[in-house]
Amino acid sequence: MTTSLIGARVPRKEDYRFLTGAGQYTDDVALAGQTYAAFVRSPHAHANIRRVSTDKAKRAPGVIAVYTGADLAAAKVGGLPCGWLITDVKGQPMKEPPYPVLAQGKVRHVGERVAVVVAESAAQARDAAELVEVDYQPLPAVASAAKARSSGAIHEIAPDNVCYVWALGDKSAVDAAFAKAAHVTKLEFVNNRLIPNAIEPRAVNAVYSRADDSTTLYVASQNPHVERLLMTAFVLGLPENKVRVVAPDVGGGFGSKIYLYAEDVACTWAARQLARPVKWTADRSEAFLSDAHGRDHLTVAELALDKDGKFLAMRVRTTANLGAYLSTFASCIPTILYATLLAGQYTTPVIYCEVTAVFTNTTPVDAYRGAGRPEATYVVERLVETAAREMKVEPAELRRKNFIRQFPYQTPVALCYDTGNYEATLEAAMKIADVAGFKDRREQSLRRGKLRGLGYACYIEACGIAPSNVAGSLGARAGLYEAGEVRVHPTGTVTVFTGSHAHGQGHETTFAQVVADRLGLGMEQVDIVHGDTSKILFGMGTYGSRSIAVGGTAIVKALDKVIAKGKKIAAHLLEASEGDIEYDKGVFKVAGTDKKKTFGEVAFAAYVPHNYPLDKLEPGLNENAFYDPTNFTFPAGSYVCEVEVDRETGATQIVGFTAVDDFGRVINPMIVEGQVHGGLAQGIGQALTEGCAYDDTGQLITGSLADYCIPRANDLPLFKLDMRETPCTHNPLGVKGCGEAGAIGAPAAVMNAITDALGVKDVPMPATAQNVWRAMHRA
Amino acid sequence: MHAFQYHRPTSSKEAIGLAGQKAEGRYLAGGQSLVQAMKLRLSSPSDLIDLGTIKELAGVKVSGSAVEIGAMTRHAEVAASAEVKRAIPSLAAMAGMIGDRQVRHMGTIGGSLANNDPAADYPAAVLALNATVTTNKRKIGADQYFKGLYETALEPSELITAVSFQVPKRGAYMKFKNPASRFALVGVFVADFGSGNVRVGVTGAGPSAFRQTEMEKALSAKFAPEAVAAIKVKPDGLNNDLHASPEYRAHLITVMCKRAVEQALK
């Protein structure tokens, strides 16, 4: 190898497989004796179940079994656990109501599982599911966070529907700062609920082997080891060594496939009862009702400034809708991943945030691309832009006046930023977006009857989740390290096993670049394996833009061990002292001489140890490492959005979008740009088109793609992207993570542009033509 | 989807005969709405009588002042038809705006009109272009055809065989799309037949497509955008859903009508 693979646009190894239909997804796994499950789901948002009758269903053609909540209770199957304990303002633990796999006497949201039918075919299972008779006694339901506290109790344990009231920051210091402020900007808004919609719906195929009493679960998951841990230790009580979880090719997740879902447990349990494989694949309608949703905050936010525009304090009150039950990581999203980001890129000295998390009769809410950080960025960047307009300061100037410029920087909301250069991304973004030419463009638009607006968002995110001891002190019930293993084969090719999981991110290419670069091998000599608990030593999976920063670092640590052992072997083969061996571009050399051994020769010697220091060194060349980060990473960037609004219809078109990101060191710019494109599309979707809606009885109105609008390619502009690299200071690759940035920064940039175009303070998201038209007519 | 019997007759006569025998049967005329409803188990016909291979039901005929389109002619064929483009370019353009590429290659004019989705595009054209719907039994005038939400003048097993549109002097269709489904949130078809005879068909806004007579009168007096720009449509009775209130729909009728006139004058 002559050139570095770090920073190279290497075409994806995955492309052949995915673009030619050779991927192997969970639904593609066909097993001998396969059976199919169908779930009976509640049509009511809130109801008591008087009786469930399965007689007719059991007699239907092809039906093998029908199970209800009573069967699972009799078998002592536990409820689904929550992985993060939040302690409230009074020092009390959050309310953790039981989350049954199949309903126990009551349903709490439309789509909740009441029974499961297992049959010889998927069609037979569905037909029979319609024959299960459930006698419901409907109860009053509540869907909105605003009304949750004044509505009837959804869970006995939480009579006011409050899961917790949690706070971060120095309230009295914040109140004092507000008292002496020259200007206060206040906004009240809803951060709209979103429905993830991965292209591959969730799927499960569970199989039990009587031969060795083992269970294998194929599942569309972002983190197979976590799924196994939760399922075995907390729900089914199975020994972990008897359960294998495989997450094969997975077609997108965006967070929605992190969690342990009831369908996974029900199919696994049923497969063990029947000793036959049980498969379930969600259809899109089920996905809308049962995949964890995202966002759904009701927020009042205030920013205090002095007369010169320096930020003095921020005060934020949020009501977060958690849905009917606590999904796996639901509790930490509107708290730990939200309030800690409210400093943004600024030196705001004091910040106070209070979060009331409530239960409602809606699908559970959990992490969705960005998870808490888009909500925080929206608060900060809408406040800053609004303050600038109110104080008649250029929004970019107000930001510059308050940028953090000294690192490391300890924020008032727990995080310590290791590095950053916010001026660099803002300057680049303004130049690329031609902010200077905006006034002329605005006038040209006006002449065509269009209102033009420009908005910024300067975001920060905390990625590379997470230092386990910090997470543990904040309530995490799991570690957040990552594991990697480097298996060198006798001929010098390498298989790398990672606990990270790829479901569209291109890890098989990016990670292989890291390995090939460090070992001086060709890309074709390296394979990356992920997604199988029987192959991977351990793993915490992929979410929170953590894979390269944490998973990649674990691999680097293992690679360093391989090289260290290789040097010992080479020293023996070259009859030199270990300290004189250098490793460079695939060759072990004795420093200052021409004596050398290739990586392949050393690997061969390790596996055919005829000439080998067996008295001092084990044969073989296989190393693993666990890596627990010492801090979060802090990707940041500046986005500039330009919109045109049709004055007659309110229709908004994005006519320019510039994103300049700082992800630290970039391994594969092509893949990173793809991640930014996808994130921006989802962020723009939140701003313009996507809004999950329930009616007052808890029925999901946006239950299909005919009503829930995911942006299409022609809704999006050609993005202008650039990057600045300020390497992370605490991992060896200098990487920060890039998966969520677009979704974090885009909504505020778009809404700042629309409010600029209209000259109004706020427009609710999604800014559909109707919402914009209404805002124009209010103004 | 529930199980059903599938039939593929080769003539209209055979199809109508089958429909008469199967009380719970349905004609399949492209299936862009019916098959979706069946997949969602909202519709469960016992029999599907696929009209797709009946040759006599497809094709375009232009004769003097009318364009006749066979019931099973796909939207894409109408959109691409040189004859339709020459005779009624606005109709070809409208067909090219229906759904997406896949839908346009399966969906048919007869299927669309028999279904009468409140947001379908063809009903606006049928009203504006004063079309005649021909069935195996009779001819139905545009103003007698649409009866309400998913309701038409068709009797059970009655089969649309063709639709005949009158050729206007000029016309245009403007559609404000539902962002999610891309159906018409409001679609307005304007047709000027000359001598003060203008017809305006509106779809998407109400339970079923309708004519906007106030605008017809104004445009008959003067076929110009400003003739309708100030007309305030009453929101009473218009559709109300997540995507548009009756007030917003009423407003969009005026804007889309104005833009259709602008387009027709180009």
Side-chain angles (χ1 to χ4, degrees):
Chain A
M1 299 296 296
T2 49
T3 53
S4 173
L5 282 164
I6 304 298
R9 294 176 175 269
V10 178
R12 300 201 316 169
K13 282 173 165 249
E14 298 90 333
D15 283 346
Y16 174 77
R17 165 163 116 250
F18 290 145
L19 298 180
T20 64
Q24 182 78 357
Y25 298 87
T26 297
D27 192 62
D28 295 323
V29 177
L31 302 167
Q34 187 73 60
T35 72
Y36 300 84
F39 287 86
V40 177
R41 295 179 183 275
S42 171
H44 299 284
H46 199 191
N48 288 320
I49 298 174
R50 292 199 191 97
R51 192 166 157 272
V52 182
S53 171
T54 60
D55 299 350
K56 277 187 204 162
K58 281 177 175 162
R59 288 196 302 269
V63 170
I64 299 159
V66 182
Y67 301 113
T68 67
D71 298 307
L72 267 64
K76 298 198 167 18
V77 173
L80 303 180
C82 182
W84 203 294
L85 174 70
I86 293 295
T87 302
D88 76 7
V89 284
K90 293 176 184 158
Q92 297 299 307
M94 65 184 187
K95 305 282 172 57
E96 275 187 272
Y99 186 173
V101 173
L102 296 176
Q104 301 290 330
K106 196 178 180 194
V107 286
R108 296 176 176 87
H109 69 91
V110 173
E112 183 170 355
R113 296 139 293 263
V114 176
V116 58
V117 176
V118 183
E120 298 289 347
S121 78
Q124 286 172 329
R126 292 207 157 199
D127 286 345
E130 289 179 350
L131 301 174
V132 172
E133 294 165 325
V134 186
D135 182 5
Y136 294 103
Q137 177 194 26
L139 299 167
V142 62
S144 86
K147 293 178 189 162
R149 272 171 291 186
S150 53
S151 301
I154 295 166
H155 297 282
E156 275 179 33
I157 192 178
D160 55 357
N161 292 325
V162 172
C163 178
Y164 55 75
V165 178
W166 174 93
L168 181 67
D170 186 340
K171 185 172 187 300
S172 55
V174 167
D175 290 345
F178 268 87
K180 60 174 191 188
H183 183 85
V184 172
T185 291
K186 184 175 180 180
L187 282 168
E188 183 170 350
F189 47 72
V190 169
N191 198 285
N192 41 329
R193 180 186 279 235
L194 304 175
I195 304 180
N197 275 297
I199 198 161
E200 179 210 17
R202 285 194 294 120
V204 186
N205 196 355
V207 57
Y208 172 68
S209 167
R210 286 195 298 121
D212 60 358
D213 189 32
S214 72
T215 305
T216 300
L217 172 65
Y218 298 88
V219 59
S221 170
Q222 298 178 215
N223 44 356
H225 280 91
V226 176
E227 171 113 8
R228 181 176 70 170
L229 177 66
L230 293 172
M231 175 116 65
T232 54
F234 299 99
V235 185
L236 288 176
L238 297 171
E240 212 166 341
N241 56 318
K242 290 292 188 188
V243 177
R244 173 187 175 202
V245 175
V246 184
D249 285 331
V250 173
F254 313 119
S256 70
K257 291 171 181 166
I258 296 172
Y259 324 116
L260 176 64
Y261 282 98
E263 290 89 351
D264 309 359
V265 175
C267 290
T268 304
W269 182 80
R272 292 178 58 83
Q273 307 309 301
L274 302 170
R276 287 183 68 179
V278 177
K279 181 189 279 189
W280 169 78
T281 303
D283 63 23
R284 190 58 60 182
S285 303
E286 283 183 294
F288 269 88
L289 291 173
S290 69
D291 293 5
H293 294 175
R295 320 276 193 263
D296 205 345
H297 285 192
L298 175 61
T299 292
V300 180
E302 297 166 282
L303 179 67
L305 303 96
D306 73 12
K307 63 177 174 36
D308 300 321
K310 283 291 277 184
F311 302 163
L312 299 175
M314 188 180 289
R315 189 159 56 196
V316 179
R317 281 197 171 76
T318 292
T319 305
N321 191 340
L322 299 178
Y325 296 100
L326 280 173
S327 175
T328 310
F329 290 109
S331 50
C332 73
I333 310 304
T335 48
I336 309 301
L337 290 178
Y338 170 64
T340 55
L341 274 300
L342 289 171
Q345 301 186 353
Y346 311 108
T347 56
T348 316
V350 284
I351 296 170
Y352 177 72
C353 178
E354 189 179 288
V355 179
T356 303
V358 294
F359 296 110
T360 60
N361 296 110
T362 62
T363 297
V365 178
D366 207 321
Y368 169 60
R369 201 171 193 167
R373 291 153 291 169
E375 296 92 314
T377 298
Y378 196 74
V379 168
V380 175
E381 290 302 294
R382 288 286 295 114
L383 276 176
V384 170
E385 193 101 354
T386 308
R389 289 175 194 164
E390 288 174 349
M391 296 181 77
K392 307 211 184 313
V393 184
E394 279 298 312
E397 282 316 302
L398 188 67
R399 287 179 168 88
R400 284 190 168 116
K401 189 170 283 194
N402 290 281
F403 272 160
I404 296 162
R405 293 171 192 275
Q406 301 275 315
F407 296 92
Y409 178 80
Q410 177 61 53
T411 73
V413 277
L415 296 176
C416 182
Y417 303 164
D418 64 329
T419 184
N421 185 350
Y422 309 136
E423 180 62 42
T425 56
L426 179 60
E427 191 187 344
M430 290 177 73
K431 199 170 167 197
I432 296 166
D434 184 25
V435 171
F438 173 70
K439 273 189 181 164
D440 287 345
R441 294 194 295 279
R442 176 175 249 176
E443 279 171 25
Q444 285 163 20
S445 296
L446 259 181
R447 283 200 285 276
R448 288 183 283 111
K450 301 278 176 81
L451 299 172
R452 201 177 186 106
L454 183 144
Y456 298 87
C458 297
Y459 75 91
I460 191 156
E461 48 174 333
C463 298
I465 293 170
S468 292
N469 53 354
V470 175
S473 71
L474 294 170
R477 285 163 166 164
L480 284 160
Y481 47 82
E482 197 48 90
E485 178 184 350
V486 177
R487 188 180 300 171
V488 182
H489 303 295
T491 53
T493 60
V494 176
T495 305
V496 174
F497 300 84
T498 173
S500 296
H501 185 274
H503 29 279
Q505 294 91 340
H507 293 173
E508 290 165 43
T509 304
T510 303
F511 287 11
Q513 282 177 251
V514 169
V515 174
D517 184 79
R518 205 149 187 110
L519 292 182
L521 304 177
M523 286 292 287
E524 73 288 351
Q525 290 170 286
V526 180
D527 269 306
I528 306 293
V529 175
H530 62 93
D532 185 341
T533 61
S534 71
K535 294 179 182 169
I536 316 295
L537 66 164
F538 203 75
M540 295 308 296
T542 287
Y543 39 83
S545 304
R546 68 192 300 270
S547 296
I548 191 68
V550 190
T553 301
I555 292 170
V556 167
K557 299 258 176 204
L559 288 171
D560 289 347
K561 291 184 190 174
V562 165
I563 293 168
K565 185 171 178 183
K567 283 182 178 173
K568 289 192 169 78
I569 299 167
H572 174 87
L573 295 175
L574 295 167
E575 297 175 334
S577 102
E578 190 191 328
D580 292 336
I581 303 291
E582 290 171 347
Y583 185 68
D584 184 38
K585 297 188 176 73
V587 179
F588 294 93
K589 280 185 206 151
V590 180
T593 75
D594 60 357
K595 288 166 71 179
K596 62 187 180 184
K597 288 284 175 189
T598 65
F599 183 77
E601 288 171 318
V602 167
F604 196 78
Y607 285 95
V608 187
H610 297 161
N611 175 19
Y612 193 89
L614 286 166
D615 53 331
K616 290 180 289 194
L617 207 57
E618 292 172 9
L621 196 51
N622 186 41
E623 298 288 347
N624 66 50
F626 282 66
Y627 170 67
D628 201 291
T630 54
N631 192 358
F632 294 86
T633 62
F634 298 98
S638 292
Y639 293 176
V640 181
C641 176
E642 213 166 305
V643 298
E644 261 191 353
V645 178
D646 182 330
R647 298 173 87 162
E648 290 185 317
T649 64
T652 299
Q653 197 192 350
I654 297 180
V655 291
F657 202 106
T658 302
V660 181
D661 293 289
D662 183 350
F663 299 129
R665 196 80 74 218
V666 170
I667 310 294
N668 186 325
M670 181 188 70
I671 287 177
V672 169
E673 286 165 9
Q675 287 288 311
V676 174
H677 285 183
L680 290 176
Q682 284 175 310
I684 289 169
Q686 170 163 31
L688 286 187
T689 68
E690 297 185 45
C692 170
Y694 284 91
D695 71 11
D696 288 342
T697 68
Q699 291 293 330
L700 180 63
I701 300 173
T702 50
S704 81
L705 292 169
D707 281 310
Y708 186 85
C709 182
I710 295 176
R712 272 87 145 177
N714 65 351
D715 293 320
L716 303 169
L718 281 174
F719 300 122
K720 293 178 194 164
L721 305 189
D722 202 359
M723 289 170 207
R724 292 290 176 272
E725 293 194 9
T726 314
C728 172
T729 60
H730 55 81
N731 65 49
L733 292 168
V735 292
K736 298 179 182 175
C738 67
E740 297 164 292
I744 291 170
V750 174
M751 299 312 295
N752 283 339
I754 294 175
T755 49
D756 180 49
L758 269 53
V760 300
K761 193 166 177 182
D762 193 32
V763 176
M765 291 195 291
T768 58
Q770 174 172 247
N771 280 343
V772 171
W773 179 76
R774 282 177 173 159
M776 280 193 288
H777 287 263
R778 261 200 312 271
Chain B
M1 195 179 277
H2 289 107
F4 58 90
Q5 287 289 319
Y6 176 77
H7 308 271
R8 193 156 63 186
T10 53
S11 69
S12 320
K13 197 179 160 196
E14 190 188 345
I16 295 155
L18 276 165
Q21 293 160 25
K22 312 288 183 187
E24 301 295 314
R26 294 281 301 270
Y27 292 124
L28 182 67
Q32 297 308 288
S33 298
L34 178 57
V35 173
Q36 310 312 318
M38 289 170 68
K39 281 184 182 172
L40 292 168
R41 297 181 167 234
L42 298 170
S43 179
S44 303
S46 61
D47 296 75
L48 278 190
I49 303 157
D50 189 350
L51 309 173
T53 51
I54 302 177
K55 289 204 177 90
E56 71 212 44
L57 289 178
V60 173
K61 276 182 244 166
V62 178
S63 57
S65 60
V67 172
E68 186 179 276
I69 299 176
M72 285 301 292
T73 311
R74 317 276 168 179
H75 308 319
E77 293 170 45
V78 176
S81 162
E83 289 166 290
V84 178
K85 279 188 196 170
R86 208 176 306 123
I88 317 180
S90 53
L91 183 63
M94 188 226 76
M97 283 186 230
I98 300 172
D100 54 33
R101 193 175 289 267
Q102 288 80 2
V103 167
R104 289 195 290 275
H105 278 82
M106 288 300 289
T108 64
I109 183 169
S112 172
L113 291 175
N115 187 46
N116 192 23
D117 188 297
D121 297 295
Y122 264 123
V126 165
L127 288 170
L129 296 169
N130 198 16
T132 302
V133 178
T134 305
T135 76
N136 60 314
K137 293 180 177 168
R138 53 183 167 146
K139 290 186 185 300
I140 309 171
D143 293 332
Q144 283 72 50
Y145 180 79
F146 302 102
K147 295 294 181 190
L149 186 68
Y150 293 105
E151 275 185 47
T152 68
L154 295 175
E155 291 163 6
S157 86
E158 187 173 5
L159 180 69
I160 299 176
T161 55
V163 184
S164 180
F165 295 90
Q166 292 184 15
V167 176
K169 200 170 113 195
R170 55 196 169 188
Y173 179 62
M174 275 290 156
K175 172 179 180 176
F176 195 85
K177 291 176 182 173
N178 173 321
S181 70
R182 308 277 156 126
F183 270 90
L185 206 56
V186 168
V188 178
F189 205 119
V190 171
D192 179 10
F193 293 92
S195 344
N197 179 14
V198 175
R199 291 173 66 102
V200 177
V202 179
T203 190
S208 178
F210 59 87
R211 285 172 61 191
Q212 226 297 339
T213 48
E214 193 183 355
M215 290 177 175
E216 289 183 352
K217 203 182 286 177
L219 290 168
S220 294
K222 188 186 180 192
F223 193 78
E226 60 270 23
V228 291
I231 293 178
K232 291 229 178 302
V233 177
K234 286 203 181 73
D236 309 352
L238 296 185
N239 294 339
N240 187 14
D241 57 34
L242 179 71
H243 305 284
S245 64
E247 291 74 19
Y248 185 53
R249 280 191 163 90
H251 170 74
L252 286 177
I253 291 172
T254 303
V255 177
M256 291 300 114
C257 184
K258 190 186 77 170
R259 291 183 183 181
V261 174
E262 281 167 4
Q263 178 69 25
L265 288 169
K266 268 182 193 163

